[in-house]
Amino acid sequence: MTGKKNIIERFLTWYKRFQISKSPQMNLVWGFFLYTLVGFGLLSIPLFHKTSVGFLDNLFISTSAISTTGLVTVSVYDSYNFFGQLIVMCLFQIGGIGYMTLTTYYLLFTTKSITHWHNKIIGAEFTLPKSIKINDFIKSVVIFTITMETLGAICFYIAFKQAEMNTLKAVWFSIFHSVSAFCTAGFGLFNDSFESYSNNGFINTIISVLAIAGSLGFIVITDLWYRATRKSKNISFTTKIITYGFVLLLFIGTLLVYLTEPSIQSSDAKFSESFFQAMTAMTTVGFNTISTGGLSLPILLFVIFLMYIGASPSGTAGGMKITTLTAMISVLKSRLLGQKQISFLGRIIPFERLYVATSTFMLYTSIIFLFSFLLSFTETFEFDKILFEVASALGTVGLSTGITGDLTSVGKIFIIILMFVGRVGVLTFGFALINK
């Protein structure tokens, strides 16, 4: 027994040295990779299955959950029993809130302090203003997450009971979908997502509120709340960029779908379906109330654009981020007007931020092009569906035109890589590769 204990202690000592020797970005990649492997190992246990699930499908589901994507090759409800579904939920909860957030919160709870090493990794995982202390941020995020998910679960329970779902099922479905919506994970226990509830305004509202709160992030929501309650006279410049950009794109998306999408023109819930489709792409929550595969080509392309952009860099949403888009627009505007300094909304943007935004834009776009090119070789689907799948995977959105389950083994591996890179962040992943 003592020998085994010494082996474990030596391994833990080695692992701690290994972590400290690596860059914060590499630690993030390594951490999410380990959680993916643990999830894959647990989901591979037949005890947690309703039906037999293949090796690659378990890995796909585990990666999709830890990356909060929601793309699935098999039905979660039909393939895994309660404990399997619970594992999936734990994975996207960890992925949504950030594994280092949970670790750091545990340290704060037990020791009241965190190390400089944890500070560096949290700084790599979240884009935080210098005025915000990491200790306060971590505690606030955990409390905010628990509060929102609890309220969401209560509201879901009321809605599901009104829809005449039995009590035990309603309790579990409420918890699962509340966590999934807030973490913008896109995992559902309904095989048609929420298409059966397209006319249910209450459920649509619950998902929208949770997804928007999660995707904008704690910092933005708090900033807006303080301004609304007059605790603060101004909101930060970053919050303005994110809020204005989000509202504008959401409005344009809703209007486009409402006016031009043929599949909903005769629907009784035309407006709510239009709003939900734009919202689910912007927040990358991945739920849908109308068939994504049935969308017209122009709207399909616009949804790809919304998934490409995403939402806030400090929230649970994926995508390139609104801040990156606004930085690129600022660069273009300044060049066209011949201005020496680059500004947005009257504020000069530091060159360091512009370098980050430009690098993110170039790398993100290059990855989408590369994997669309590769999947065109391995798959036989139309190119628009392949492009949609790639954008959804890298943006950790989870929307699909229905081709995910029919991908080849090589195609599934490509999507697994995209989901993982999308969750870590393209620039973070790039830094990790060069150990910088």
Side-chain angles (χ1 to χ4, degrees), residues 62 73 111 120 200 252 275 290 303 311-312 314 329 338 363 378:
S62 178
T73 52
T111 66
K120 287 201 298 181
N200 193 313
I252 293 172
F275 172 82
I290 58 177
V303 170
S312 168
S314 62
I329 292 173
L363 190 55
T378 65

Side-chain angles (χ1 to χ4, degrees), residues 71 261 291-305 307 368 371-373 375-377 379-393 399-404 407 415:
L71 289 173
E261 176 51 43
S291 173
T292 307
L295 294 175
S296 61
L297 185 58
I299 296 301
L300 202 66
L301 290 174
F302 190 76
V303 170
I304 290 174
F305 170 73
M307 295 192 297
I368 286 183
F371 278 84
S372 297
F373 177 75
L375 282 167
S376 297
F377 279 106
E379 313 304 316
T380 57
F381 305 109
E382 295 90 341
F383 181 73
D384 57 308
K385 292 185 177 180
I386 290 175
L387 179 61
F388 192 95
E389 198 79 5
V390 169
S392 182
L399 291 173
S400 176
T401 55
I403 69 172
T404 313
L407 292 170
I415 296 298

Side-chain angles (χ1 to χ4, degrees), residues 95-395:
I97 200 173
Y99 88 95
M100 277 307 300
T101 306
L102 295 175
T103 305
T104 307
Y105 183 77
Y106 174 76
L107 286 175
L108 287 172
F109 186 76
T110 54
T111 66
K112 308 300 180 184
S113 63
I114 59 175
T115 65
H116 177 63
W117 179 78
H118 281 90
N119 267 304
K120 287 201 298 181
I121 299 179
I122 290 292
E125 187 171 7
F126 295 100
T127 305
L128 299 178
K130 293 180 180 179
S131 59
I132 294 182
K133 294 181 179 179
I134 287 181
N135 294 25
D136 297 334
F137 172 73
I138 295 299
K139 291 176 182 177
S140 300
V141 165
V142 172
I143 293 170
F144 178 61
T145 300
I146 293 172
T147 302
M148 290 300 298
E149 290 176 354
T150 301
L151 292 174
I154 293 170
C155 292
F156 264 126
Y157 177 77
I158 295 170
F160 288 144
K161 286 300 291 180
Q162 288 176 349
E164 299 181 349
M165 186 181 290
N166 72 66
T167 302
L168 285 177
K169 187 176 180 180
V171 169
W172 172 234
F173 273 49
S174 299
I175 296 171
F176 188 96
H177 290 103
S178 179
V179 176
S180 183
F182 182 76
C183 292
T184 63
F187 275 88
L189 298 178
F190 303 105
N191 289 333
D192 63 347
S193 190
F194 281 88
E195 289 181 32
S196 301
Y197 295 94
S198 61
N199 289 317
N200 193 313
F202 189 24
I203 288 179
N204 279 251
T205 302
I206 297 167
I207 295 172
S208 299
V209 171
L210 288 172
I212 291 172
S215 65
L216 291 181
F218 171 77
I219 296 173
V220 174
I221 295 296
T222 303
D223 215 0
L224 293 173
W225 175 255
Y226 281 171
R227 180 66 185 87
T229 55
R230 298 184 179 180
K231 289 184 179 181
S232 174
K233 293 182 179 179
N234 300 304
I235 58 176
S236 70
F237 179 58
T238 304
T239 296
K240 285 180 181 178
I241 290 175
I242 294 168
T243 305
Y244 294 163
F246 183 86
V247 172
L248 179 62
L249 287 172
L250 185 58
F251 173 77
I252 293 172
T254 302
L255 191 65
L256 271 177
V257 178
Y258 184 84
L259 295 176
T260 65
E261 176 51 43
S263 65
I264 65 166
Q265 294 307 312
S266 59
S267 173
D268 295 332
K270 184 179 174 182
F271 175 76
S272 64
E273 288 174 349
S274 302
F275 172 82
F276 197 94
Q277 190 60 52
M279 180 279 301
T280 195
M282 275 293 296
T283 62
T284 73
V285 68
F287 292 131
N288 57 283
T289 53
I290 58 177
S291 173
T292 307
L295 294 175
S296 61
L297 185 58
I299 296 301
L300 202 66
L301 290 174
F302 190 76
V303 170
I304 290 174
F305 170 73
L306 293 179
M307 295 192 297
Y308 175 73
I309 301 304
S312 168
S314 62
T316 58
M320 189 177 64
K321 311 301 183 187
I322 290 173
T323 46
T324 301
L325 174 66
T326 53
M328 299 312 298
I329 292 173
S330 302
V331 170
L332 177 62
K333 177 183 72 75
S334 298
R335 292 305 91 192
L336 291 176
L337 296 177
Q339 298 171 338
K340 292 183 179 180
Q341 292 182 317
I342 298 171
S343 62
F344 190 80
L345 297 179
R347 291 281 294 272
I348 296 173
I349 303 176
F351 279 107
E352 183 182 347
R353 298 290 184 186
L354 292 172
Y355 292 148
V356 171
T358 305
S359 302
T360 301
F361 172 76
M362 292 179 66
L363 190 55
Y364 199 96
T365 307
S366 299
I367 291 173
I368 286 183
F369 174 82
L370 174 62
F371 278 84
S372 297
F373 177 75
L374 293 174
L375 282 167
S376 297
F377 279 106
T378 65
E379 313 304 316
T380 57
F381 305 109
E382 295 90 341
F383 181 73
D384 57 308
K385 292 185 177 180
I386 290 175
L387 179 61
F388 192 95
E389 198 79 5
V390 169
S392 182
L394 186 61

Side-chain angles (χ1 to χ4, degrees), residues 23-34:
S23 66
Q25 290 82 4
M26 178 55 79
N27 271 283
L28 282 177
V29 172
W30 184 247
F32 279 115
F33 179 69
L34 283 180

